[in-house]
Amino acid sequence: MSLKTVGMISGYRNLNKRGDWLWQQTPHPFGVWGNIQMQALAEKPDFLLMYQFDFPKKNQPQSWLDKLRRKHPKPKINVESLIRNVPQERIIYLLREPPLDEVIETTKHNYQQAKQYCGYVSGPDDFAPTPDYMPAIWYHSNSFRELNEMPIPEKVSACSWITSGINRSVNHRRRLQFLELLQSSEVQCHLYGRDLPQWAESSGELGNKWYGMSPYYYNLSIENYAENDWYVSEKLWDALLAWCLPIYYGGAAADKLLPPGSFLRLPSLDEKGIAYIKEVTATPDAWYAAKDAIAEARQIILHKLNLLNWLSNFVSQS
């Protein structure tokens, strides 16, 4: 069977130079999974994935702040040159950011533009052309074989939270308020992350999330958005792959994708939520009770929800 190559272009700038993007999500060399080979930078791919790609807005006026920040005009994006002559029916658009109020107009613009170039357009919101869950990616540096075959890592601490200081939206600021409330409580939770506020008692940024998750029984997995039935992110996948029991705040998507008992529901981002975290993390009992469900969830993430598996199925049906 000849492999079909899948190229990629993204609005995440750091991904566009990654020739090995997603290679850690397969046990095979060079990004092979089933009938596909992920070759993000391929000049003439058989299929093209536009992953959270932001289409340029025509005739968008610049604010005085934009002009102040940019001494030179922002280079124009030529979409036709990026799609590498891939036929429209073989171009996939997957949007993965949540539909926050602050970005809905941009998201709708991206969907409208994507329909002109792509045969399949999807995102985790009700107004997407094809509403659907996001296929899973994760942010551990471990190989697929390690994650798939490893024994349970040694657990020595109660709870961790890996987050950031991003405060661009109301939801981001609400999460930071909960962080402040958590740190003023008696809950023992180790904090890691980037760009956190000066008042945050953080253990610093991590080069590999594994080290801030695998030694812990529990992990706070708090989404930036919890208001629909589609959105669920790597926050949950990363925790489970590290054999943590997630204390999860998010929408209903997780309940539909993962087995019962593989995560706990944080009831709210307030004093009630703090009390719940304190009660659960006081002992590892809940983790031991969930161990089998965590093992099952990990296999679902690695083999079924995996973005490479999703792409392979798409190619098979094309």
Side-chain angles (χ1 to χ4, degrees), residues 3-281:
L3 297 172
K4 300 296 185 182
T5 57
V6 181
M8 186 274 294
I9 181 69
S10 176
Y12 299 134
R13 296 179 183 178
N14 60 320
L15 294 186
N16 288 321
K17 297 181 181 179
R18 287 276 309 277
D20 64 345
W21 188 61
L22 286 187
W23 286 10
Q24 89 283 0
Q25 293 200 193
T26 171
H28 307 293
F30 309 121
V32 171
W33 182 281
N35 58 344
I36 66 167
Q37 184 172 16
M38 191 71 210
Q39 295 283 343
L41 306 182
E43 292 184 5
K44 296 179 180 180
D46 297 300
F47 290 79
L48 180 67
L49 171 62
M50 303 187 86
Y51 188 71
Q52 187 60 38
F53 179 79
D54 291 322
F55 287 88
K57 294 182 179 180
K58 297 179 180 179
N59 303 320
Q60 183 179 23
Q62 284 189 329
S63 69
W64 66 269
L65 186 57
D66 290 331
K67 294 176 181 177
L68 182 65
R69 286 174 174 169
R70 299 174 186 151
K71 294 183 180 180
H72 304 285
K74 188 176 181 179
K76 293 182 179 180
I77 298 174
N78 186 324
V79 177
E80 285 77 8
S81 68
L82 297 175
I83 62 177
R84 312 175 207 178
N85 294 315
V86 177
Q88 181 171 356
E89 65 272 13
R90 292 188 169 197
I91 301 178
I92 305 154
Y93 185 87
L94 296 182
L95 189 143
R96 73 176 305 273
E97 292 293 336
L100 300 170
D101 291 342
E102 292 83 354
V103 300
I104 279 182
E105 291 308 312
T106 297
T107 298
K108 290 181 177 179
H109 167 79
N110 284 332
Y111 286 145
Q112 289 301 315
Q113 293 297 305
K115 287 192 289 186
Q116 299 180 35
Y117 297 96
C118 309
Y120 182 87
V121 181
S122 181
D125 47 65
D126 291 322
F127 55 87
T130 305
D132 203 358
Y133 315 109
M134 296 181 296
I137 63 170
W138 50 85
Y139 287 92
H140 295 305
S141 299
N142 314 61
S143 72
F144 183 95
R145 290 186 185 277
E146 287 175 329
L147 293 174
N148 190 47
E149 300 170 8
M150 65 167 47
I152 298 174
E154 183 182 11
K155 300 291 182 180
V156 296
S157 293
C159 185
S160 69
W161 186 7
I162 302 174
T163 187
S164 75
I166 294 174
N167 62 357
R168 292 191 297 263
S169 72
V170 171
N171 289 31
H172 289 130
R173 292 189 285 275
R174 185 182 179 201
R175 185 188 61 198
L176 287 172
Q177 290 170 357
F178 184 68
L179 170 60
E180 192 168 12
L181 190 63
L182 178 71
Q183 292 204 321
S184 66
S185 72
E186 298 178 356
V187 174
Q188 298 299 310
C189 180
H190 294 170
L191 176 69
Y192 303 91
R194 67 182 189 279
D195 301 326
L196 288 163
Q198 290 186 351
W199 50 260
E201 298 175 10
S202 167
S203 297
E205 189 173 348
L206 296 170
N208 184 352
K209 292 176 75 173
W210 181 259
Y211 299 121
M213 289 184 168
S214 63
Y216 296 88
Y217 289 101
Y218 306 98
N219 176 261
L220 300 188
S221 305
I222 299 178
E223 301 284 17
N224 296 323
Y225 183 83
E227 284 75 50
N228 73 14
D229 294 339
W230 299 109
Y231 184 75
V232 57
S233 79
E234 78 284 345
K235 294 177 178 64
L236 194 52
W237 318 142
D238 288 344
L240 286 163
L241 290 178
W243 283 97
C244 296
L245 176 57
I247 301 176
Y248 183 67
Y249 184 82
D255 298 300
K256 300 175 183 179
L257 297 173
L258 296 175
S262 59
F263 61 93
L264 304 175
R265 280 279 179 187
L266 181 64
S268 53
L269 299 182
D270 54 18
E271 292 285 359
K272 182 180 178 181
I274 298 295
Y276 181 82
I277 296 170
K278 183 178 181 180
E279 179 182 2
V280 169
T281 61

